[in-house]
């Protein structure tokens, strides 16, 4: 099968700082593709390159066979690219339903208003927000806000869905629900590309994993393959001479060690 | 769609009211109706200007260029009749079009500017346009002295069948109706925005342009659309003003005063609504007239105090104050929860203002 999303040699530098360095990958239809890596590895920059908030310095990006490297964000969206942000960014003056309706109305060309409303209702239902539809977004809690992020992206009828750390800050039970939601999305044939720090979630969801470090690809493969790769373990644990990172052994590092085992600590999505 | 129909019916009712207002004033006040009618006309002018500015502001573009667009409309009319013998009513639509085209040009170069940078660029545009008009050949644009503009209405005094003051009344009535027509045009444009998917798109672009783009909204198109619609209305207004005042000059047509009124009125009345700018214009015109009559000298100081106080104490304008009062009435029966979230919304609105 052909790829729905293909990055070839994507690089992005800000002045002298290279945030993403020669990254290539492909995501197949209906695949769940994870991007992981330590803080500052360039994951979110990569996602911004994909969704069009940033333009790559070099490299090429194809979405559903179309070259979208220089395409503005709204056209990528209409082509079939949805995105949920890491920092939830609802439109503050609107209700939940109005927020979702924006995506339904503008996410595809030539949608009638009744069809848009149907798509918005569907996205609200999918994400369990239908009861909150008339609430102002100020009243939502974090889980609901994350659901709203996903609902807005789903309402644009994406073929590829980008999720940026949607599990961050969620309690285990909530994360489990979110994992179920992502699975359901994939089961409809939507390709999911996600950034995640919660390793059990990556293990449970991802078909393939791209590990980034210092802006470049470090490893790629199934969850089991990448987590047993010594370079990945090293990057997470910071065993190398990089003192600044060696000092703060992060939650990432701990979860990478714990995850492959038959854990007690792994929570999210375990029994899902 | 039901909301749209309701709004259009309300607009039609409002239009009928405006058609009969001069006659009512004449019956009630007699000779004094001349000044009441010009007060009502001032309110209409201010309402059109404010609504035009608000349409643009809905996309987050805080313009200091409204005098440029009313001025462009005014000069279009003036130059048209100086150079040609065009039909009398052709100047007004042409003034709107010229302003809209200018807006398309300015809007395209300011797309990437936000907030204060956008505001300063638009202010600079006004000054550039003014300087350009001053430097055009005097035979075309009249130079610093300006150009005379033909009147739209010239009622003649017929001895015996009418009184002297009725001449002024008929003249004022004619302009009142033209401005009323402009306000109806502006209200219909505003209502069509508010009752279509444009409202959400404008709000999305204003509150977070990047996210709006990611959700499929084309921010550039929305901002330009708002700019063109807003300036079209402002250009029409400037064109009629040129006819009413009888002459245009660079200082008058591109006055900062116009720009200030254009933004103060919707802030006072309630931003991002159709009703707010109209309410604001009506109340402000009334306050100004009252102050002017009470303190003939220095009334502007009082006017300034009123504006400062209103911005401090009603951050969401008259419309916000009204909805707060309604909410407070509801909160006393339904407990404090609604009031608390209303407070948060007020605070958010205050931040934005």
């Amino acid at each position: 099968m052909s790829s729905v999303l293909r990055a070839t040699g994507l690089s992005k530098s800000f002045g002298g700082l290279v945030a993403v360095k020669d990254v290539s990958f492909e995501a197949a239809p209906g695949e769940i593709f994870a991007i992981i890596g330590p803080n500052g590895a360039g994951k979110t920059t990569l996602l911004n390159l994909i969704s069009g908030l940033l333009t790559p310095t070099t490299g090429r990006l194809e979405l559903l066979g179309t070259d979208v490297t220089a395409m503005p964000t709204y056209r990528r969206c209409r082509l079939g690219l949805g995105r949920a942000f890491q920092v939830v960014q609802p439109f503050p003056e609107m209700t939940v339903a109005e927020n979702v309706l924006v995506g339904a109305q503008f996410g595809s060309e030539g949608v009638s208003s009744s069809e848009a409303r149907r798509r918005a209702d569907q996205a609200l239902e999918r994400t369990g927000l239908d009861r909150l539809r008339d609430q102002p977004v100020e009243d939502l809690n974090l889980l609901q806000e994350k659901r709203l992020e996903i609902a807005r992206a789903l309402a644009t009828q994406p073929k590829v869905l980008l999720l940026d750390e949607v599990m961050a800050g969620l309690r285990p039970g909530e994360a489990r629900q979110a994992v179920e939601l992502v699975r359901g999305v994939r089961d409809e044939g939507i390709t999911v590309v996600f950034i995640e720090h919660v390793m059990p979630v990556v293990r449970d969801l991802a078909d393939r994993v791209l590990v980034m470090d210092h802006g470049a690809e470090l490893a790629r493969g199934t969850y089991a393959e990448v987590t047993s790769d010594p370079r990945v373990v090293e990057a997470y644990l910071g065993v190398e001479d990089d003192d600044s990172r060696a000092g703060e052994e992060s939650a990432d590092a701990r979860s990478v060690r714990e995850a492959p085992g038959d854990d007690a600590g792994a929570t999210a999505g375990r029994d899902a | 769609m039901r909301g749209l129909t309701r709004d259009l019916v309300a607009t039609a009712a409002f239009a009928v009211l405006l058609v009969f207002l001069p006659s009512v004033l004449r019956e009630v006040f007699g000779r004094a109706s001349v000044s009441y009618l010009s007060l009502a006309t001032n309110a209409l002018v201010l309402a059109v200007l404010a609504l035009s500015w608000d349409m643009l502001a809905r996309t987050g573009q805080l313009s200091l260029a409204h005098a440029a667009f009313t001025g462009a409309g005014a000069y279009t009319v003036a130059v048209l009749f100086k150079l040609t013998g065009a039909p009398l009513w052709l100047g007004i639509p042409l003034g709107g079009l010229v302003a809209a085209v200018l807006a398309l040009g300015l809007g395209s170069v300011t797309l990437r500017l936000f907030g204060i940078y956008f505001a300063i660029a638009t202010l600079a545009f006004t000054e550039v346009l003014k300087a350009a008009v001053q430097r055009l050949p005097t035979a075309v644009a009249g130079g610093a002295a300006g150009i005379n503009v033909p009147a739209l209405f010239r009622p003649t005094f017929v001895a015996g069948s009418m009184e002297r003051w009725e001449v002024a009344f008929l003249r004022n009535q004619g302009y009142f109706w033209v401005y009323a027509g402009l306000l109806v045009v502006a209200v219909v444009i505003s209502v069509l925005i508010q009752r279509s998917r444009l409202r959400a798109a404008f709000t999305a672009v204003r509150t977070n342009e990047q996210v709006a783009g990611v959700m499929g909204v084309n921010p550039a198109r929305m901002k330009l659309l708002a700019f063109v619609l807003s300036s079209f209305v402002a250009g029409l207004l400037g064109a009629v003003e040129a006819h009413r005042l009888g002459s245009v000059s660079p200082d008058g047509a591109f006055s900062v005063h116009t720009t200030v009124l254009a933004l103060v009125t919707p802030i006072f009345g309630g931003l991002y609504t159709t009703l707010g700018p109209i309410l604001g214009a009506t109340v402000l015109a009334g306050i100004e007239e009252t102050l002017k009559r009470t303190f003939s000298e220095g009334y502007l100081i009082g006017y300034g105090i009123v504006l400062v106080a209103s911005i401090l104490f009603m951050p969401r304008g008259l419309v916000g104050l009204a909805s707060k009062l309604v909410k407070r009435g509801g909160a006393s029966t339904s407990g404090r929860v609604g009031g608390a979230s209303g407070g948060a919304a007020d605070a958010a609105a205050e931040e934005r203002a």
Side-chain angles (χ1 to χ4, degrees):
Chain A
M1 252 201 245
S2 64
S3 62
V4 288
L5 186 67
R6 173 186 296 165
T8 317
L10 278 188
S11 295
K12 178 68 186 178
S13 36
F14 301 99
L17 176 80
V18 183
V20 170
K21 196 158 55 191
D22 194 27
V23 170
S24 300
F25 70 89
E26 288 181 28
E31 184 177 30
I32 301 187
F33 189 87
I35 301 169
I36 66 169
N39 288 327
K43 305 183 296 293
T44 296
T45 305
L46 179 60
L47 226 54
N48 285 339
L49 291 175
I50 298 171
S51 58
L53 293 177
L54 295 173
T55 316
T57 313
T58 57
R60 176 184 163 91
L61 187 74
E62 279 173 57
L63 176 66
L64 304 161
T66 308
D67 182 356
V68 298
T69 314
M71 192 183 265
T73 50
Y74 75 93
R75 286 186 54 207
R76 295 185 200 209
C77 169
R78 293 178 188 180
L79 204 58
L81 188 68
R83 169 160 186 191
F85 285 89
Q86 175 184 14
V87 181
V88 291
Q89 314 195 26
F91 301 122
E93 294 163 39
M94 304 183 194
T95 65
V96 170
E98 285 169 340
N99 261 274
V100 176
L101 196 56
V102 174
Q105 284 171 324
F106 291 92
S108 332
E109 306 278 355
V111 192
S112 70
S113 64
S114 58
E115 172 62 13
R117 221 165 298 130
R118 197 189 62 77
R119 289 178 181 183
D121 287 344
Q122 200 180 27
L124 286 168
E125 207 173 305
R126 284 290 302 283
T127 48
L129 288 172
D130 35 352
R131 281 178 305 109
L132 300 168
R133 51 180 304 130
D134 296 323
Q135 296 278 326
V137 291
E138 284 89 351
D139 294 354
L140 298 186
N141 63 34
L142 183 66
L143 174 64
Q144 291 161 344
E145 283 180 334
K146 299 237 171 192
R147 287 175 176 275
L148 178 59
E149 277 294 321
I150 298 175
R152 292 200 305 183
L154 285 178
T156 67
Q157 309 292 104
K159 298 184 181 70
V160 178
L161 180 62
L162 308 178
L163 303 175
D164 194 352
E165 288 201 44
V166 288
M167 310 292 172
L170 297 187
R171 291 192 294 268
E174 295 171 341
R176 199 150 47 229
Q177 291 177 27
V179 164
E180 275 312 295
L181 179 59
V182 173
R183 280 225 180 89
V185 166
R186 190 269 302 274
D187 291 345
E188 284 180 15
I190 298 173
T191 303
V192 178
V193 176
F194 74 111
I195 293 179
E196 195 48 76
H197 272 301
V198 183
M199 293 305 280
V201 170
V202 177
R203 180 195 54 205
D204 288 355
L205 275 177
D207 296 316
R208 284 190 304 143
V209 180
L210 170 70
V211 188
M212 290 179 71
D213 189 30
H214 292 106
E217 172 180 335
L218 186 65
R220 192 174 3 175
T222 64
Y223 180 82
E225 283 164 10
V226 298
T227 46
S228 57
D229 187 324
R231 288 172 306 171
V232 173
V233 177
E234 189 176 294
Y236 268 82
L237 297 181
V239 201
E240 54 191 311
D241 51 33
D242 191 342
D243 285 335
S244 63
R245 280 197 306 129
E248 32 150 328
E249 185 189 314
S250 63
D252 308 332
R254 281 193 299 278
S255 53
V256 124
R257 262 180 319 185
E258 285 166 6
D262 219 5
D263 61 284
T267 47
R270 195 66 188 88
D271 331 318
Chain B
M1 260 344 224
R2 236 177 55 232
L4 176 62
T5 312
R6 204 189 58 203
D7 284 0
L8 290 179
V9 168
T11 308
F14 181 54
V16 170
L17 194 82
L18 290 176
V19 167
F20 290 108
L21 186 69
S23 311
V24 171
L25 288 176
R26 182 181 182 156
E27 289 307 313
V28 176
F29 296 107
R31 173 189 291 271
S33 66
V34 175
S35 65
Y36 283 110
L37 194 55
S38 66
L39 169 61
T41 306
N42 289 344
L44 281 179
V45 170
L46 200 53
V48 175
L49 184 68
L51 199 50
S52 154
W53 188 89
D54 190 76
M55 285 178 207
L56 183 57
R58 288 173 200 170
T59 57
Q61 302 180 100
L62 304 182
S63 158
L64 292 180
H66 254 61
F69 298 113
T70 54
Y75 261 92
T76 303
V77 165
V79 173
L80 178 73
F81 293 113
K82 185 179 171 71
L83 299 182
T84 74
L88 192 58
W89 291 89
L90 185 68
I92 299 167
L94 206 62
L97 287 179
V98 168
V101 170
L102 280 175
L104 200 59
L106 175 63
S108 311
V109 293
T110 54
L111 274 178
R112 288 178 166 279
L113 300 179
F114 295 92
I116 192 77
Y117 303 102
F118 176 87
I120 288 169
T122 54
L123 184 62
F125 176 76
T126 313
E127 293 304 314
V128 168
L129 202 59
K130 179 174 157 184
V133 166
Q134 279 169 335
R135 277 160 188 73
L136 279 175
T138 312
V140 176
I147 317 174
N148 288 328
V149 183
L152 289 174
F153 305 99
R154 280 174 231 255
T156 47
F157 177 64
V158 184
S161 72
M162 66 195 293
E163 293 183 50
R164 280 274 170 203
W165 64 268
E166 285 181 287
V167 177
F169 180 88
L170 289 176
R171 180 181 177 278
N172 285 5
Q173 177 177 256
Y175 284 106
F176 177 88
W177 279 336
V178 175
Y179 287 120
L182 287 193
L183 182 57
V184 170
V185 167
V187 166
V188 168
I189 294 176
S190 174
V191 163
L192 288 176
I193 293 171
Q194 296 299 82
R195 292 294 181 182
S196 71
R197 62 182 201 154
L198 288 178
R199 186 184 74 91
F202 281 15
T203 309
V205 169
R206 181 178 77 244
T207 50
N208 197 330
E209 194 171 320
Q210 286 200 330
V211 175
V214 167
M215 291 175 70
V217 179
N218 180 347
R221 170 181 274 194
M222 291 304 147
K223 287 162 90 170
L224 284 178
L225 177 65
F227 222 144
V228 166
L229 290 175
S230 162
S231 302
F232 176 69
V233 172
L236 294 177
L237 181 68
V240 181
E241 282 284 81
H243 280 298
R244 181 170 73 137
L245 297 175
S247 70
V248 296
S249 68
D251 287 329
F254 299 102
S255 162
V256 177
H257 186 60
T258 307
T259 292
V260 171
L261 284 179
L263 71 96
V264 162
T265 312
I267 292 172
F268 178 75
L271 287 167
Y272 319 136
T273 58
T274 305
L275 205 54
I278 299 174
L279 271 181
T282 310
V283 174
L284 278 184
I287 290 176
E288 185 180 10
E289 185 70 18
T290 310
L291 287 171
K292 207 185 271 181
R293 287 183 185 195
T294 320
F295 320 97
S296 54
E297 293 290 319
Y299 76 95
L300 280 172
I301 297 172
Y303 191 70
I305 291 171
V306 169
L307 286 179
V308 170
S310 68
I311 286 168
L312 284 177
F313 296 111
M314 29 178 238
R316 288 163 69 216
L318 294 171
V319 167
L321 187 68
S323 70
K324 202 158 140 187
L325 291 177
V326 169
K327 214 179 265 174
R328 192 163 293 169
S332 61
T333 53
S334 68
R336 301 202 78 89
V337 183
S341 73
D346 290 347
E350 195 168 347
E351 241 166 56
R352 284 192 301 277

